[in-house]
Amino acid sequence: RDQPRSRGLGDVYKRQAHSREAEIAADAFAHRQLTRAGLPPSAMGDMFARMQAQGLGEDMGVFRHISSHPELRDRIEAAMQADTGAANGAPVISSAGWAALQAICT
């Protein structure tokens, strides 16, 4: 017998909510790893803000409930809140390493 469509939508909602929770946990893990490396978690928020400025991840309204990822504004806020100011400011990569990375990407 066919399932009502509303049940199918409920299943989608549950799967996507779980996926969003996994993404939030992954972001929190990244915040901790950045801090351990002496880097500010707010850098992740800056990256999400640049994505948002390019029109990615705009407010999804009601569709946020079936999205597999949290909204960018929520991810930006979480990254900024995770920043304790403990970053040491040391460069992550040398100038030569940065030039080599850029060469690979072009």
Side-chain angles (χ1 to χ4, degrees):
R1 194 174 125 144
D2 290 335
Q3 293 180 351
R5 286 182 189 240
S6 61
R7 179 167 181 203
L9 289 175
D11 290 342
V12 168
Y13 175 76
K14 283 191 273 187
R15 280 193 307 272
Q16 299 306 71
H18 173 74
S19 183
R20 269 192 312 280
E21 290 170 12
E23 287 294 327
I24 291 167
D27 284 355
F29 175 78
H31 300 157
R32 290 189 303 275
Q33 295 305 306
L34 286 166
T35 299
R36 284 183 62 204
L39 302 170
S42 60
M44 198 167 142
D46 294 341
M47 176 193 70
F48 288 136
R50 285 192 300 273
M51 291 170 64
Q52 190 175 47
Q54 293 176 7
L56 302 171
E58 291 295 321
D59 180 17
M60 296 178 280
V62 71
F63 294 107
R64 82 180 292 186
H65 300 292
I66 58 171
S67 173
S68 62
H69 287 70
E71 288 196 52
L72 285 180
R73 68 177 176 210
D74 297 334
R75 297 177 94 177
I76 293 165
E77 182 179 331
M80 298 308 180
Q81 287 179 355
D83 195 337
T84 62
N88 63 22
V92 176
I93 189 169
S94 68
S95 296
W98 177 242
L101 182 59
Q102 287 177 308
I104 291 169
C105 295
T106 56

